[in-house]
Amino acid sequence: MAFVTHRAVRSLSSSAVRSAAIQHITVIGGGLMGAGIAQVAASTGHSVVLVDQSEDILKKSQKGIEDSLKRIAKKKFADKPEAGSEFIEKILKNVSISTDAGSVVHSTDLVLEAIVENLQVKRDLFGGLDKFAPEHTIFASNTSSLPITDIANSTSRQDRFGGLHFFNPVPLMKLVEVIRTPMTSQKTFSALLEFSKALGKQPVSCKDTPGFLVNRLLVPYMVEAIRLHERDHGSKEDIDLAMKLGAGYPMGPFELLDYVGLDTSKFIIDGWHEKDPENPLFAPSPLLNKLVAEGKLGKKTGEGFYKYK
Ligand code: CAA
Ligand code: NAD
């Protein structure tokens, strides 16, 4: 991976799919989600620039992408390790990194943001990039819970603004929620649907409502599990086991909270509580607040509800 602007898109294989409209993408935020999105876009033949605040963070993002590709290559090329290495190398060549978003968006078709879940920070980012990006460039947010309209209003391109909500881990989860606001043009919405398909994902159409479809159901469920535990109605281990064996979920709610990130989960529930304080589903959780205050943010920091090596 190089520290430059967009590279020419390289053809990965005859099966690699590429959106006709969106070819060059800039992903802002190289954390859990941004790195995963960059990986999937690069794997499907798109040219990607991944942007974050420091080179150190971007090095971690690169390592995460490489490790994930190794897991995929190990399965895909079980008997041909050399072909596996070639596969990884080709994909990595489609990803450049940068710490300066303003200087890389001049040649991009899509700016996709996956930074911290904070409305003002996202508005500042897009408001600033609006003047650097070309006219045709679409802006999209991967927000879990914030209104796309409120983010889009920071720019002069509300018609070319939508939501692209991916799921963690991005390389494995098939769904993308494609969100349109009342201002999103049909052309933009269609381009985002097509782009999701070009990534090999299954898109669903969503309106700009809190949590869209999945998180409106999933987040209250996870926070309700914490409340069950806070009331001493069950240990976190038993609740996790119960949901895995009794409901067939791949992870229990505490495992999933750690996987998503406790900071992100807290930002989501606090944001909804602020807007709808009477709704008991959105009430803040003292235990979640305590863990976040202690810096225990889940798997990404080595400890959340559980400890990780
Ligand atoms: N990259 C590449 N491959 C990966 C991977 C990654 N990041 N993670 C796992 N894999 C592969 C592994 O190599 C493994 O393959 P093999 O078994 O063939 O070796 C396979 O996937 C299964 O992995 P594991 O055995 O480690 O674990 P698993 O069987 O439990 O599957 C999982 C992992 C897919 C994450 C599964 O546990 C799961 O679906 N969990 C629920 C995830 C979920 O609900 N995500 C949504 C979160 S909410 C959200 O994202 C929205 C939001 O806004 C907060
Ligand atoms: P994360 O903490 O893993 O990564 C966020 C990254 O953004 C960090 O690397 C940080 O350095 C970077 N960043 C912050 N401000 C920045 C800025 N102004 N410019 C450039 N980079 C900046 O977070 P994440 O879990 O990847 O979540 C990112 C977004 O995706 C959030 O909006 C979150 O709600 C959403 N999301 C998260 C999940 C999940 O399961 N974690 C799933 C879907 C959507």
Side-chain angles (χ1 to χ4, degrees):
M1 279 185 253
F3 211 101
V4 286
T5 57
H6 290 290
R7 288 168 168 272
V9 175
R10 282 149 218 266
S11 169
L12 294 173
S13 73
S14 56
S15 63
V17 192
R18 190 148 34 98
S19 159
I22 296 173
Q23 296 177 353
H24 300 284
I25 76 162
T26 302
V27 178
I28 320 256
L32 280 176
M33 297 305 291
I37 295 165
Q39 176 186 329
V40 170
S43 303
T44 46
H46 298 81
S47 149
V48 185
V49 182
L50 184 57
V51 178
D52 209 303
Q53 292 167 319
S54 75
E55 282 185 41
D56 278 353
I57 298 175
L58 285 164
K59 276 187 193 140
K60 272 194 203 158
S61 318
Q62 287 177 313
K63 168 108 179 37
I65 293 173
E66 202 169 336
D67 288 348
S68 174
L69 287 172
K70 278 182 186 161
R71 291 174 81 169
I72 293 166
K74 205 173 159 189
K75 263 189 292 181
K76 201 170 167 152
F77 302 98
D79 304 324
K80 298 178 197 153
E82 275 177 23
S85 304
E86 210 173 292
F87 163 84
I88 295 170
E89 208 176 300
K90 270 186 176 173
I91 294 170
L92 292 181
K93 278 182 179 160
N94 281 346
V95 185
S96 311
I97 55 173
S98 172
T99 51
D100 182 7
S103 72
V104 297
V105 294
H106 58 80
S107 58
T108 201
D109 299 320
L110 172 71
V111 176
L112 177 48
E113 162 279 313
I115 64 170
V116 63
E117 186 73 346
N118 177 294
L119 179 61
Q120 196 52 50
V121 182
K122 289 186 195 285
R123 282 177 58 85
D124 289 347
L125 175 79
F126 281 116
L129 291 180
D130 199 22
K131 53 183 174 293
F132 292 109
E135 205 52 27
H136 79 281
T137 304
I138 296 175
F139 284 1
S141 173
N142 181 51
T143 179
S144 299
S145 64
L146 299 167
I148 301 294
T149 306
D150 291 356
I151 308 174
N153 283 346
S154 64
T155 72
S156 61
R157 60 179 84 210
Q158 286 104 319
D159 59 322
R160 281 150 288 146
F161 207 116
L164 276 180
H165 186 222
F166 290 82
F167 293 83
N168 183 20
V170 183
L172 298 190
M173 304 305 279
K174 286 280 175 218
L175 186 72
V176 179
E177 292 179 325
V178 183
I179 300 111
R180 73 186 303 171
T181 76
M183 299 290 285
T184 308
S185 71
Q186 183 56 44
K187 189 176 169 196
T188 299
F189 189 62
S190 301
L192 293 176
L193 285 172
E194 280 312 305
F195 176 64
S196 307
K197 289 180 197 159
L199 296 182
K201 302 293 183 194
Q202 174 66 59
V204 289
S205 303
C206 294
K207 292 185 178 162
D208 192 17
T209 56
F212 318 123
L213 300 179
V214 173
N215 281 350
R216 182 61 182 80
L217 298 171
L218 191 60
V219 174
Y221 148 74
M222 292 196 291
V223 182
E224 200 55 25
I226 309 177
R227 285 194 252 280
L228 203 59
H229 178 51
E230 282 170 334
R231 291 198 299 270
D232 199 24
H233 289 182
S235 69
K236 51 187 192 287
E237 291 82 1
D238 279 354
I239 296 170
D240 276 349
L241 197 63
M243 290 312 291
K244 285 190 284 188
L245 301 188
Y249 285 23
M251 287 177 172
F254 294 95
E255 291 168 333
L256 190 54
L257 281 155
D258 276 356
Y259 201 68
V260 164
L262 302 191
D263 49 346
T264 300
S265 306
K266 176 175 157 54
F267 291 142
I268 297 171
I269 207 74
D270 286 356
W272 288 349
H273 176 67
E274 209 179 304
K275 289 206 158 184
D276 189 358
E278 302 306 321
N279 191 333
L281 289 177
F282 303 158
S285 149
L287 180 54
L288 182 63
N289 290 348
K290 177 175 172 290
L291 290 170
V292 172
E294 290 169 355
K296 294 173 182 165
L297 306 185
K299 213 173 169 193
K300 65 183 169 186
T301 57
E303 186 171 354
F305 286 102
Y306 298 108
K307 286 189 177 166
Y308 302 86
K309 284 202 180 111

